[in-house]
């Protein structure tokens, strides 16, 4: 905890130095206390737009992760899917999200749907790919053991391959949680009338730089909390997965 | 499905004309091996010679490639075999007792919980049934794997270095336990310990060479399981060491 406080203090110090060094120009880089004031003064506005962005992120995460899990399962279960669909999924990753965003807004409208789709789209791949990798990497000896036990394929999937792939799925979800805000905000930039991305564009256009920073701060805080919550939930759900970095080591 | 009739009259194991290539190595070229019905057959051999490969071949886990693998009447062995791998293969997300019941869980069969607990007690782990495997020592994990193998209740049992990770005293206890619980079944076990092979084996083979061949070791006729200090055991041990060295 104290480590984090030190990091925050150092960051604030550097920020203040940069502001002072850049000639104290508030419309380029406002000092931390101005941003704090903007956060407080605009708390209702920020909460309103923040709630919308948070909803987009959570819905996007739910849809993207759900589709990613389904895709990985069907790829693992059905060989033609692995041969034909997987390269397609990989190819979609080559398209920058910015290129798809206007299309999604065109198809799904200015409302939340296009942003949820956007977030789901970029969450889908890390989740599907991490889970699929995990499903393919089951210990072959374990599969052999299941064969000598006359286990039906679906039981092998359910009792061996899926649980063994859960740590992989967990890393996919953590990456997904980290990138989800990008999808939502990009969607809002392309066309929307609400959300933190919209608020930032708006504040930027009117040179309300402290408000822009306040929105940015809120977005980052949401992303960090989401990531931490998911990581904590996964630790509880997968108690047998050990983080070797967390273990105390004898140091000499 | 194994039934009590099969266990009362278990099949023998016959391997003829086995060819196995793994990577660039020819592990077996026209290998013949047999294990008699209802008897314990020990396999020794240097590391990497193909002992694990032979067990997997018998278990039907490798392509037979034209070889005959079956019983003395020419039937296949599928469904009759319990396999205890060289690794314990415990699932970290299940409790110890659930691991013992893995076969039933995979086949969707209910019940067997009391039997699983009884087997855990038999291998000296009654207090650990509800713990996770990652809280066990290497030797304790091996004992859980043994209990899981016994739980399957198959007429043919293949065990790959089943007691390699336990202390000598526990090992002797487990050997006696295995002898008691598996008596009357066809058991093929791999070990690096000549004395273990001699205590438990009705027959003992040494695998050697590349491609490997199986060579039988003449054994003293004693009560079974043999006592470590039985007459003839020492001579047989010397014979095994000679066969391993050649
Ligand atoms: N998956 C594999 N791919 C390529 N080569 C393999 C593979 N598995 C085993 N081998 C080779 O086959 C040979 C026999 O291996 P095997 O595991 O049967 O040895 P082993 O007698 O059980 O040895 P150990 O006593 O060390 O367990 C070895 O030379 C090994 O290198
Ligand atoms: Mg081996």
């Amino acid at each position: 905890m104290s480590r984090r406080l030190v990091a925050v203090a150092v960051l604030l110090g550097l920020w203040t130095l940069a502001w002072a060094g850049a000639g104290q120009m508030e419309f380029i880089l406002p000092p931390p206390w101005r941003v704090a004031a903007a956060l407080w003064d605009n708390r209702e506005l920020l909460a309103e737009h923040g709630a919308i962005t948070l909803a987009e992120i959570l819905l996007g995460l739910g849809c993207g992760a759900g589709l990613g899990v389904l895709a990985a399962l069907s790829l693992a279960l059905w060989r033609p899917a692995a041969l034909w669909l997987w390269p397609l999924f990989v190819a979609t990753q080559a398209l920058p999200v910015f290129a798809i965003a206007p299309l999604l807004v065109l198809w799904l409208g200015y409302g939340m749907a296009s942003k949820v789709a956007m977030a789901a789209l970029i969450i889908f791949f890390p989740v599907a790919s991490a889970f699929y990798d995990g499903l393919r990497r089951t210990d072959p000896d374990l599969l052999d053991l299941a064969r000598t036990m006359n286990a039906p394929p679906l039981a092998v999937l359910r009792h061996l391959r899926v649980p063994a792939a859960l740590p992989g799925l967990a890393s996919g979800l953590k990456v997904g949680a980290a990138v989800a805000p990008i999808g939502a905000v990009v969607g809002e930039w392309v066309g929307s009338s609400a959300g933190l991305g919209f608020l930032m564009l708006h504040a930027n256009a009117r040179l309300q730089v402290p408000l822009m920073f306040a929105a940015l701060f809120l977005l980052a805080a949401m992303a960090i909390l989401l990531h931490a919550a998911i990581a904590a939930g996964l630790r509880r759900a997968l108690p047998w997965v050990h983080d070797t970095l967390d273990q105390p080591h004898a140091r000499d | 499905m194994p039934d009590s009739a099969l266990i009362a009259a278990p099949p023998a194991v016959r391997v003829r004309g086995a060819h196995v290539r793994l990577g660039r190595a020819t592990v077996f070229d026209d290998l013949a091996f047999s294990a008699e019905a209802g008897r314990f057959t020990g396999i020794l051999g240097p590391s990497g010679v193909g002992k694990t490969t032979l067990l997997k071949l018998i278990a039907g886990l490798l392509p037979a490639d034209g070889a005959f693998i079956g019983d003395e009447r020419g039937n296949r062995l599928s469904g009759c075999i319990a396999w205890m791998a060289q690794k314990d293969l415990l699932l970290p997300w299940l409790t110890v007792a659930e691991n013992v019941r893995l076969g039933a869980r995979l086949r969707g069969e209910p019940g067997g919980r009391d039997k699983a607990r009884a087997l855990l007690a038999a291998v000296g782990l009654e207090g650990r049934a509800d713990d996770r495997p990652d809280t066990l020592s290497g030797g304790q994990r091996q004992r859980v794997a043994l209990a899981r193998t016994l739980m399957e209740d198959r007429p043919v049992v293949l065990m790959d270095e089943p007691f390699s990770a336990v202390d000598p005293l526990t090992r002797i206890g487990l050997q006696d336990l295995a002898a008691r619980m598996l008596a009357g079944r066809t058991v093929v076990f791999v070990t690096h310990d000549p004395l273990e092979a001699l205590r438990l084996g009705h027959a003992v083979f040494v695998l050697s060479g590349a491609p490997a061949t199986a060579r039988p070791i003449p054994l003293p006729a004693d009560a079974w399981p043999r006592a470590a200090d039985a007459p003839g055991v020492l001579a047989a041990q010397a014979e095994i060491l000679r066969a391993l060295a050649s």
Side-chain angles (χ1 to χ4, degrees), chain A residues 139 141 147-150 242, chain B residues 56 60 87 107 134 154:
Chain A
D139 183 346
D141 282 336
R147 253 173 86 188
T148 67
M149 289 171 161
N150 306 98
H242 297 290
Chain B
K56 282 192 176 176
K87 289 184 281 181
R107 293 185 296 269
D134 54 10
R154 301 279 173 96

Side-chain angles (χ1 to χ4, degrees), chain A residues 2-23:
Chain A
S2 60
R3 210 162 15 113
R4 279 176 209 164
L5 283 180
V6 170
V8 168
V10 167
L11 215 63
L12 288 177
L14 286 175
W15 182 354
T16 310
L17 275 178
W19 164 71

Side-chain angles (χ1 to χ4, degrees), chain A residues 139-152 155-156 159-161 163-164 239-242, chain B residues 1 56 59-62 79 81 83 85 87 89 91-93 102-103 105-107 132 134 148 152 154:
Chain A
D139 183 346
D141 282 336
L142 208 51
L143 299 178
D144 278 347
L145 179 67
R147 253 173 86 188
T148 67
M149 289 171 161
N150 306 98
V156 172
H159 293 296
L160 302 181
R161 295 175 67 188
W240 70 90
V241 180
H242 297 290
Chain B
M1 272 301 96
K56 282 192 176 176
L61 299 172
L62 294 173
I81 287 178
W83 176 57
K87 289 184 281 181
L89 299 178
L91 303 180
W93 54 87
L102 179 67
R105 172 182 283 256
L106 286 172
R107 293 185 296 269
R132 277 210 320 269
D134 54 10
R148 185 188 60 204
E152 282 302 280
R154 301 279 173 96

Side-chain angles (χ1 to χ4, degrees), chain A residues 58-81:
Chain A
L58 290 179
L59 284 173
L61 196 61
C63 297
L67 288 174
V69 165
L70 283 180
L73 282 176
S74 49
L75 289 171
L77 270 181
W78 196 45
R79 244 191 105 58

Side-chain angles (χ1 to χ4, degrees), chain B residues 22-23 25 27 45-54 86 160-161 192:
Chain B
L22 290 172
V27 185
S47 182
V49 75
K51 304 180 297 296
T52 297
T53 308
L54 177 56
Q86 194 164 356
D160 203 340
E161 303 188 27
H192 280 297

Side-chain angles (χ1 to χ4, degrees), chain A residues 65 68-69 126-128 130-132 134 162 165-174 234 238:
Chain A
V69 165
V127 171
F131 192 36
Y132 179 47
V162 166
L166 287 181
L169 175 62
S171 3
L173 279 176
K174 281 189 265 188
L234 289 171
L238 311 177

